[in-house]
Amino acid sequence: MHFIGLENELSSFRGGQELNMFEICNGLSQRGHNISLIYLKPGNLLEEYRKFCNYLRKINSYEFNRYKINELLYFLPGIFSTINIPVIKNSVIFCNAYDFIFFGYVLSMLKNIPFVCYFQVPPFSKNFNYQKVLGFKNAKRFISVSNQTKLDWVKCGIQEDKFDVVYNGTNIEKFKFSENFLYVRNKWNIPEDIRVVSYVGRLDKDKGLETLIGAFSLLVKSGINAKLLIAGNPILHFAADGKEHPEEGEKYKRSLKQLSIDLGIEKNVDFLGHVADTVSLYQVSDVTVLPSQWSEPFGRVIIESMACGTPVVASRIGGIPEVLTGEFQQWLFEPGNQLDLADKLNRIIHWRDSNSHLAHRCREHVLGKFTIDKMIDGIEKVLLQVAKK
């Protein structure tokens, strides 16, 4: 198969969408498939992509405003530059986000090959411009990361029978138990008797961080000696012009810090910024929290944390209940409900003393359902079916 991927930024700093794309491309390459990649912005993963991609091309834009000639002129060179992408047997285009679907459609027409759209987020609007509508109508298949994300898009008018659901997977060789818990605690300069709650992800309003900080303050005020580690940076913050504005994100981050001060827990909360070694962070933690208030498509941090043996408390929203199943569904809480989250944290925080085998059950849950190999199996199966038709 010849996989032609469309990506935004080749970076591991933005979040799960970009990391998933890298793992899909890398995994398919290891199985002998040819990989070509078109992207908008370089990043820290560019050199990694160079190791296995047969073709890499940076372009300016995936769509344009038809009323603005300068945007059309900005768009066209990207289409023309793809002339060098070879079309071989079983070629298929893979759009890593619905924002790229018009470019995928045009490239599909020019090359006479099918394209697939990968939904890792729910729709942010039901009103799409004509370019996206064209793309949606002509895509051969859609892949979503959860049944809930599929349903979110079906409500926008996409045919349900054109969907396949493929859950995310994680690298079980990377995300694993610590060999020495006390050593990891010493490395982080955290005493053994302090309970650690962690959050890993972007610092954006839809992630429910106010709920987490509020619930954590209740935990501390109940007498539990605990620390909250918040890892990540603001990503998706927009101003009135509809464009991302880093200063809006930093303003939001400051408001979270101020909230911890107002609640009197600023000494118990550490904002870590971007953390490259998330494995160590999961390992040092007693529980990881995903307090989302939007229709969270999947939640990679859940399976990463559980693969490290650290249980997860998360919102009962989006695709999260499809991940925390069986005994782990008891750690779901109502989105935005500080009291419910505080209660869940209070019940699980001492598990190392009362339920030491929980770590192994967490990891077994991931091994059974959410490995990278299982994810690649699912993606590969759909793409081969589309390409061969």
Side-chain angles (χ1 to χ4, degrees), residues 6 61-66 72 75-76 79 93 95 97-109 115 117 129-136 138:
L6 307 185
S61 174
Y62 284 124
E63 61 181 14
F64 61 93
N65 186 328
R66 59 180 170 175
L72 175 60
F75 170 83
L76 289 176
I79 286 293
I93 299 164
C95 303
Y98 70 90
D99 287 335
F100 316 155
I101 199 165
F102 178 67
F103 190 97
Y105 163 67
V106 174
L107 185 59
S108 169
M109 295 287 288
F115 74 100
C117 187
N129 62 31
Y130 78 99
Q131 295 176 358
K132 289 186 175 66
V133 171
L134 268 176
F136 292 145
N138 289 280

Side-chain angles (χ1 to χ4, degrees), residues 83-136:
I83 194 170
N84 294 325
I85 298 179
V87 175
I88 59 177
K89 184 179 179 181
N90 295 337
S91 293
V92 61
I93 299 164
F94 184 87
C95 303
N96 193 42
Y98 70 90
D99 287 335
F100 316 155
I101 199 165
F102 178 67
F103 190 97
Y105 163 67
V106 174
L107 185 59
S108 169
M109 295 287 288
L110 291 174
K111 297 287 187 178
N112 193 29
I113 55 178
F115 74 100
V116 171
C117 187
Y118 189 35
F119 287 134
Q120 300 189 67
V121 295
F124 293 106
S125 168
K126 291 187 178 181
N127 298 315
F128 299 106
N129 62 31
Y130 78 99
Q131 295 176 358
K132 289 186 175 66
V133 171
L134 268 176
F136 292 145

Side-chain angles (χ1 to χ4, degrees), residues 98 117-121 136 142-145 149 153 158 163:
Y98 70 90
C117 187
Y118 189 35
F119 287 134
Q120 300 189 67
V121 295
F136 292 145
F142 299 94
I143 302 174
S144 64
V145 295
T149 299
W153 281 97
I158 297 180
F163 271 93

Side-chain angles (χ1 to χ4, degrees), residues 270-326:
D270 289 344
F271 288 84
L272 306 175
H274 175 73
V275 173
D277 183 13
T278 55
V279 175
S280 178
L281 177 53
Y282 293 131
Q283 291 172 346
V284 81
S285 303
D286 293 291
V287 59
T288 300
V289 180
L290 181 56
S292 298
Q293 291 186 269
W294 71 313
S295 187
E296 185 76 49
F298 184 88
R300 280 175 57 106
V301 297
I302 299 174
I303 57 175
E304 291 175 354
S305 178
M306 293 179 73
C308 293
T310 301
V312 176
V313 174
S315 302
R316 187 183 289 104
I317 199 169
I320 293 174
E322 298 175 44
V323 185
L324 290 177
T325 57

Side-chain angles (χ1 to χ4, degrees), residues 307-373:
C308 293
T310 301
V312 176
V313 174
S315 302
R316 187 183 289 104
I317 199 169
I320 293 174
E322 298 175 44
V323 185
L324 290 177
T325 57
E327 71 167 299
F328 304 106
Q329 64 185 319
Q330 66 182 303
W331 306 120
L332 294 168
F333 71 94
E334 289 306 307
N337 191 323
Q338 294 182 14
L339 291 174
D340 194 11
L341 174 52
D343 176 63
K344 296 295 191 297
L345 290 175
N346 194 50
R347 287 167 49 198
I348 199 173
I349 199 72
H350 298 296
W351 69 268
R352 294 187 189 277
D353 299 325
S354 59
N355 190 7
S356 60
H357 293 293
L358 179 59
H360 293 277
R361 298 201 301 276
C362 285
R363 183 167 173 81
E364 287 300 316
H365 183 68
V366 174
L367 295 179
K369 297 182 178 182
F370 304 113
T371 64
I372 284 183
D373 279 344

